[in-house]
Amino acid sequence: MAVDRDTVSKPARRWHIAVFLAPAVLVYTAIMIIPLFSTLFQSLFNTVEGERAFVGLGNFATLFFDPRWAQSFWNALANNFWFFVIHMIVQNPIGVLLAAILSNPNLRLRGFYRTAIFIPTILSFVIVGFVWKLILSPLWGIAPNMLDAIGLRSLFAPWLGQEGAALTTLALVSVWQFVGIPMMLIYAALLSIPDEVIEAAEIDGVTGAKQFFKIQLPLILPTIGIISILTFVGNFNAFDLIYVSQGAQAGPNFSTDILGTLLYRTFFGFQLQLGDPNMGSAIATMMFLIILVGVSIYLFGIQTRLRRYQF
């Protein structure tokens, strides 16, 4: 009888799980899966002589090689890559450093520091972009006076108005806003390390910075890997901060243009530029493929090697 009862209960359990997950699956399909495939499908069409026609990969060939489109696309892709690199080499190491400092049990006011560093992550992009434009303004911003107070006024420049500095400046503003996320994830990973491991290291005389680099850092490598891929996905989906700070044209002279702003101008149009949903879908498809390739490389090439460090 027990076997028969178990046999009957398994389909019942599966049915309950299916019913429980169905609403979430339907909502996710409606707002994610259907729009995704609709965009991929639309990228294969274009308007030819006033009629919608299937062009296959023609839109992508235009995007890559047509002088009218290629320059904007490759410029936006290069800027997007640089935006990501700044986050990787500045944001994540700072997040690791802050987490290591805050995990010290002897540090006073740790809760206050964690909260203060994490607060910018919950602020609106509009607020962050507007406030930093005011801070960095050469006319009424406080940055010149702050640098003057420490004798570094000569270093100030209208960074958001310089082609060579605007993108890096905005990337650093984004780092300031989101450094709390890697800090908190790594902080949690450090707290999850068993006390026995730390005590054994201390018995062997491994303490301080040596303990962090030889014991703790290898154990949190899986978390650092996850943070890295989240940084990659987030930066190649970026749009809001650039749009708020520099507008849809991502000035000066498109020096802060990234794939998100290029997609916006192409799909919806801007000022005298007419919207082209088909070319916009091609750009969106390229963004999806770039992110898909990056995530796949991480999942199949890096994560499997990091599993050896997991408990």
Side-chain angles (χ1 to χ4, degrees):
M1 293 297 295
V3 175
D4 294 339
R5 192 182 303 116
D6 291 340
T7 303
V8 173
S9 64
K10 287 181 180 179
R13 286 198 299 268
R14 292 171 183 169
W15 170 252
H16 288 309
I17 293 173
V19 172
F20 179 77
L21 293 178
V25 172
L26 290 175
V27 171
Y28 184 80
T29 301
I31 66 176
M32 294 294 293
I33 302 300
I34 293 177
L36 172 62
F37 282 97
S38 176
T39 299
L40 299 177
F41 184 73
Q42 187 168 249
S43 68
L44 303 177
F45 289 81
N46 210 331
T47 302
V48 180
E49 297 181 356
E51 296 184 357
R52 190 166 184 259
F54 179 79
V55 295
L57 300 179
N59 290 333
F60 298 97
T62 300
L63 190 63
F64 296 153
F65 305 113
D66 190 312
R68 295 175 302 168
W69 291 96
Q71 182 178 1
S72 298
F73 174 74
W74 294 116
N75 173 66
L77 181 60
N79 289 341
N80 226 145
F81 182 76
W82 178 244
F83 198 73
F84 162 67
V85 168
I86 291 294
H87 283 77
M88 283 296 295
I89 64 176
V90 179
Q91 173 185 276
N92 292 347
I94 291 178
V96 173
L97 176 62
L98 291 174
I101 294 173
L102 294 176
S103 65
N104 184 353
N106 298 321
L107 180 66
R108 300 178 59 184
L109 301 176
R110 288 188 298 166
F112 170 77
Y113 296 138
R114 289 198 306 268
T115 302
I117 296 171
F118 191 77
I119 280 178
T121 64
I122 65 176
L123 296 179
S124 166
F125 284 101
V126 176
I127 295 174
V128 172
F130 183 71
V131 167
W132 275 98
K133 283 192 71 173
L134 291 178
I135 292 174
L136 298 175
S137 171
L139 298 178
W140 53 75
I142 64 172
N145 294 331
M146 293 178 62
L147 290 175
D148 188 35
I150 57 176
L152 299 176
R153 177 60 183 265
S154 60
L155 298 179
F156 178 78
W159 293 301
L160 290 178
Q162 296 179 342
E163 293 185 22
L167 183 63
T168 301
T169 301
L170 289 175
L172 293 176
V173 170
S174 180
V175 166
W176 169 84
Q177 182 179 8
F178 290 109
V179 71
I181 294 178
M183 178 200 72
M184 292 301 293
L185 292 174
I186 295 170
Y187 176 76
L190 289 172
L191 293 184
S192 68
I193 298 176
D195 294 336
E196 294 81 0
V197 175
I198 303 301
E199 292 173 359
E202 292 176 349
I203 292 174
D204 292 337
V206 182
T207 59
K210 187 177 180 180
Q211 180 186 106
F212 175 77
F213 285 106
K214 288 195 172 184
I215 306 297
Q216 294 175 310
L217 184 60
L219 294 177
I220 63 172
L221 283 179
T223 302
I224 294 176
I226 293 173
I227 292 170
S228 299
I229 198 61
L230 291 176
T231 302
F232 175 79
V233 173
N235 281 279
F236 275 89
N237 275 322
F239 167 75
D240 311 70
L241 183 62
I242 304 294
Y243 180 78
V244 170
S245 303
Q246 305 297 88
Q249 290 186 316
N253 194 27
F254 301 104
S255 61
T256 58
D257 197 20
I258 57 176
L259 293 175
T261 51
L262 177 62
L263 167 63
Y264 176 84
R265 292 196 311 274
T266 303
F267 197 100
F268 297 103
F270 184 75
Q271 294 181 350
L272 298 179
Q273 178 180 342
L274 297 177
D276 188 339
N278 299 110
M279 289 301 298
S281 297
I283 296 173
T285 300
M286 287 306 306
M287 293 173 64
F288 168 73
L289 292 177
I290 290 170
I291 293 173
L292 179 63
V293 170
V295 172
S296 299
I297 291 173
Y298 168 76
L299 291 177
F300 300 107
I302 299 176
Q303 188 182 46
T304 53
R305 299 182 181 181
L306 293 179
R307 286 177 183 170
R308 71 186 70 174
Y309 299 105
Q310 294 177 331
F311 290 104

Coordinates of all heavy atoms in Angstrom, one line a residue, residues 211-245:
Q211 N 46.2 36.5 5.8 CA 45.1 35.6 6.0 C 44.0 35.8 4.9 O 43.5 34.9 4.4 CB 44.5 35.7 7.4 CG 43.3 34.8 7.6 CD 42.6 35.1 8.9 OE1 41.5 35.7 9.0 NE2 43.3 34.7 10.0
F212 N 43.8 37.1 4.6 CA 42.8 37.4 3.6 C 43.2 36.9 2.3 O 42.4 36.3 1.6 CB 42.6 39.0 3.6 CG 41.6 39.4 2.5 CD1 40.2 39.2 2.6 CD2 42.1 39.9 1.3 CE1 39.4 39.6 1.6 CE2 41.2 40.3 0.3 CZ 39.9 40.1 0.5
F213 N 44.4 37.2 1.8 CA 44.8 36.8 0.5 C 45.0 35.3 0.3 O 44.8 34.8 -0.8 CB 46.1 37.6 0.1 CG 45.8 39.0 -0.2 CD1 46.2 40.0 0.7 CD2 45.2 39.4 -1.4 CE1 46.0 41.4 0.4 CE2 45.0 40.7 -1.7 CZ 45.3 41.7 -0.8
K214 N 45.5 34.6 1.4 CA 45.8 33.2 1.2 C 44.6 32.3 1.6 O 44.6 31.2 1.1 CB 47.0 32.9 2.1 CG 48.3 33.4 1.5 CD 49.5 32.8 2.2 CE 50.8 33.2 1.5 NZ 52.0 32.5 2.0
I215 N 43.7 32.8 2.5 CA 42.6 31.9 3.0 C 41.3 32.4 2.5 O 40.5 31.7 1.8 CB 42.6 31.9 4.5 CG1 44.0 31.4 5.0 CG2 41.5 30.9 5.0 CD1 44.4 30.0 4.6
Q216 N 41.0 33.7 2.8 CA 39.6 34.1 2.5 C 39.4 34.4 1.1 O 38.3 34.1 0.5 CB 39.4 35.4 3.4 CG 39.3 35.2 4.9 CD 39.2 36.5 5.6 OE1 39.9 37.4 5.4 NE2 38.2 36.5 6.6
L217 N 40.3 35.1 0.4 CA 40.1 35.4 -1.0 C 39.8 34.2 -1.9 O 38.9 34.2 -2.7 CB 41.3 36.2 -1.5 CG 41.2 36.8 -3.0 CD1 40.0 37.7 -3.1 CD2 42.4 37.5 -3.4
P218 N 40.6 33.1 -1.8 CA 40.3 32.0 -2.6 C 38.9 31.4 -2.4 O 38.3 30.9 -3.3 CB 41.4 30.9 -2.2 CG 42.5 31.8 -1.8 CD 41.9 32.9 -1.1
L219 N 38.4 31.5 -1.1 CA 37.2 30.9 -0.8 C 36.0 31.8 -1.3 O 34.9 31.3 -1.4 CB 37.0 30.8 0.8 CG 38.0 29.7 1.4 CD1 37.9 29.7 2.9 CD2 37.7 28.3 0.8
I220 N 36.2 33.0 -1.6 CA 35.1 33.9 -2.1 C 35.2 34.1 -3.6 O 34.5 34.9 -4.1 CB 35.1 35.3 -1.3 CG1 36.4 36.1 -1.6 CG2 34.9 35.1 0.1 CD1 36.3 37.5 -1.1
L221 N 36.1 33.4 -4.2 CA 36.2 33.5 -5.7 C 34.9 33.2 -6.4 O 34.6 33.9 -7.4 CB 37.3 32.6 -6.2 CG 38.8 33.1 -6.0 CD1 39.8 32.1 -6.5 CD2 39.0 34.5 -6.6
P222 N 34.1 32.2 -6.0 CA 32.8 32.0 -6.7 C 31.9 33.2 -6.6 O 31.3 33.6 -7.6 CB 32.2 30.8 -6.0 CG 33.4 30.1 -5.4 CD 34.4 31.1 -5.1
T223 N 31.9 33.9 -5.5 CA 31.1 35.1 -5.3 C 31.6 36.2 -6.2 O 30.9 37.0 -6.8 CB 31.1 35.6 -3.9 OG1 30.6 34.5 -3.0 CG2 30.2 36.8 -3.7
I224 N 33.0 36.4 -6.3 CA 33.6 37.4 -7.1 C 33.2 37.1 -8.6 O 33.0 38.0 -9.4 CB 35.1 37.4 -6.9 CG1 35.4 37.9 -5.5 CG2 35.7 38.3 -8.0 CD1 36.9 38.0 -5.2
G225 N 33.2 35.8 -9.0 CA 32.8 35.5 -10.3 C 31.4 35.9 -10.6 O 31.1 36.4 -11.7
I226 N 30.5 35.6 -9.7 CA 29.1 36.0 -9.9 C 28.9 37.5 -10.0 O 28.2 38.1 -10.8 CB 28.2 35.5 -8.7 CG1 28.1 34.0 -8.8 CG2 26.8 36.1 -8.8 CD1 27.5 33.4 -7.6
I227 N 29.7 38.3 -9.2 CA 29.7 39.7 -9.2 C 30.2 40.2 -10.6 O 29.6 41.2 -11.2 CB 30.5 40.3 -8.1 CG1 29.8 40.0 -6.7 CG2 30.7 41.8 -8.3 CD1 30.6 40.4 -5.5
S228 N 31.2 39.6 -11.1 CA 31.8 40.0 -12.4 C 30.8 39.8 -13.5 O 30.6 40.7 -14.3 CB 33.0 39.1 -12.7 OG 34.0 39.4 -11.7
I229 N 30.0 38.7 -13.5 CA 29.1 38.5 -14.6 C 27.9 39.4 -14.4 O 27.3 39.9 -15.4 CB 28.7 37.0 -14.7 CG1 28.0 36.7 -16.1 CG2 27.7 36.6 -13.6 CD1 28.9 37.0 -17.2
L230 N 27.5 39.7 -13.2 CA 26.4 40.7 -13.0 C 26.8 42.0 -13.4 O 26.0 42.8 -14.0 CB 26.0 40.7 -11.5 CG 25.3 39.4 -11.0 CD1 25.0 39.6 -9.5 CD2 24.0 39.2 -11.7
T231 N 28.1 42.4 -13.2 CA 28.6 43.7 -13.7 C 28.6 43.7 -15.2 O 28.2 44.7 -15.8 CB 30.1 43.8 -13.2 OG1 30.1 43.8 -11.7 CG2 30.6 45.2 -13.6
F232 N 29.0 42.6 -15.8 CA 29.0 42.6 -17.3 C 27.6 42.8 -17.8 O 27.3 43.6 -18.7 CB 29.5 41.2 -17.7 CG 29.4 41.0 -19.2 CD1 30.4 41.6 -20.1 CD2 28.4 40.2 -19.8 CE1 30.3 41.3 -21.4 CE2 28.4 39.9 -21.1 CZ 29.3 40.5 -22.0
V233 N 26.6 42.0 -17.3 CA 25.2 42.1 -17.8 C 24.7 43.5 -17.5 O 24.0 44.2 -18.4 CB 24.3 41.1 -17.1 CG1 22.9 41.3 -17.5 CG2 24.8 39.7 -17.5
G234 N 24.9 44.1 -16.3 CA 24.4 45.4 -16.0 C 24.9 46.5 -16.8 O 24.2 47.4 -17.3
N235 N 26.2 46.4 -17.1 CA 26.9 47.5 -17.9 C 26.5 47.4 -19.4 O 26.4 48.5 -20.1 CB 28.4 47.5 -17.7 CG 28.8 48.1 -16.4 OD1 28.9 49.3 -16.3 ND2 29.0 47.2 -15.4
F236 N 26.3 46.2 -19.9 CA 25.9 46.2 -21.3 C 24.4 46.4 -21.5 O 23.9 46.4 -22.6 CB 26.3 44.8 -22.0 CG 27.7 44.9 -22.5 CD1 28.8 44.6 -21.6 CD2 28.0 45.3 -23.7 CE1 30.1 44.7 -22.1 CE2 29.3 45.4 -24.2 CZ 30.4 45.1 -23.4
N237 N 23.7 46.5 -20.4 CA 22.3 47.0 -20.4 C 22.1 48.4 -20.0 O 21.0 48.9 -19.8 CB 21.4 46.1 -19.5 CG 21.0 44.8 -20.2 OD1 20.6 44.8 -21.4 ND2 20.9 43.7 -19.5
A238 N 23.2 49.1 -19.7 CA 23.2 50.5 -19.2 C 22.5 51.4 -20.2 O 22.6 51.3 -21.4 CB 24.6 50.9 -18.9
F239 N 21.8 52.4 -19.6 CA 21.2 53.4 -20.4 C 20.9 54.7 -19.6 O 21.1 55.8 -20.0 CB 19.9 52.9 -21.0 CG 19.0 53.9 -21.6 CD1 19.3 54.5 -22.8 CD2 17.8 54.3 -20.9 CE1 18.5 55.5 -23.4 CE2 17.0 55.3 -21.4 CZ 17.3 55.9 -22.7
D240 N 20.3 54.5 -18.4 CA 19.6 55.5 -17.6 C 20.6 56.7 -17.3 O 20.3 57.9 -17.5 CB 19.0 55.0 -16.4 CG 18.2 53.8 -16.6 OD1 18.8 52.7 -16.9 OD2 17.0 53.8 -16.4
L241 N 21.8 56.4 -16.7 CA 22.7 57.4 -16.3 C 23.2 58.2 -17.4 O 23.3 59.5 -17.3 CB 23.9 56.8 -15.5 CG 24.9 57.7 -14.9 CD1 24.2 58.6 -13.9 CD2 26.1 57.0 -14.3
I242 N 23.5 57.6 -18.6 CA 24.0 58.3 -19.7 C 22.9 59.2 -20.3 O 23.2 60.4 -20.6 CB 24.5 57.4 -20.8 CG1 25.6 56.4 -20.3 CG2 25.0 58.1 -22.0 CD1 26.8 57.0 -19.9
Y243 N 21.7 58.7 -20.3 CA 20.6 59.5 -20.9 C 20.3 60.7 -20.0 O 20.1 61.8 -20.5 CB 19.4 58.6 -21.0 CG 18.2 59.3 -21.6 CD1 18.0 59.5 -22.9 CD2 17.1 59.7 -20.7 CE1 16.9 60.2 -23.4 CE2 16.0 60.4 -21.2 CZ 15.9 60.6 -22.6 OH 14.8 61.2 -23.1
V244 N 20.3 60.5 -18.7 CA 20.0 61.6 -17.8 C 21.0 62.6 -17.8 O 20.7 63.9 -17.8 CB 19.8 61.0 -16.3 CG1 19.7 62.2 -15.3 CG2 18.5 60.2 -16.2
S245 N 22.3 62.2 -17.8 CA 23.4 63.2 -17.7 C 23.7 63.8 -19.1 O 24.0 65.1 -19.1 CB 24.7 62.4 -17.2 OG 24.4 61.8 -16.0

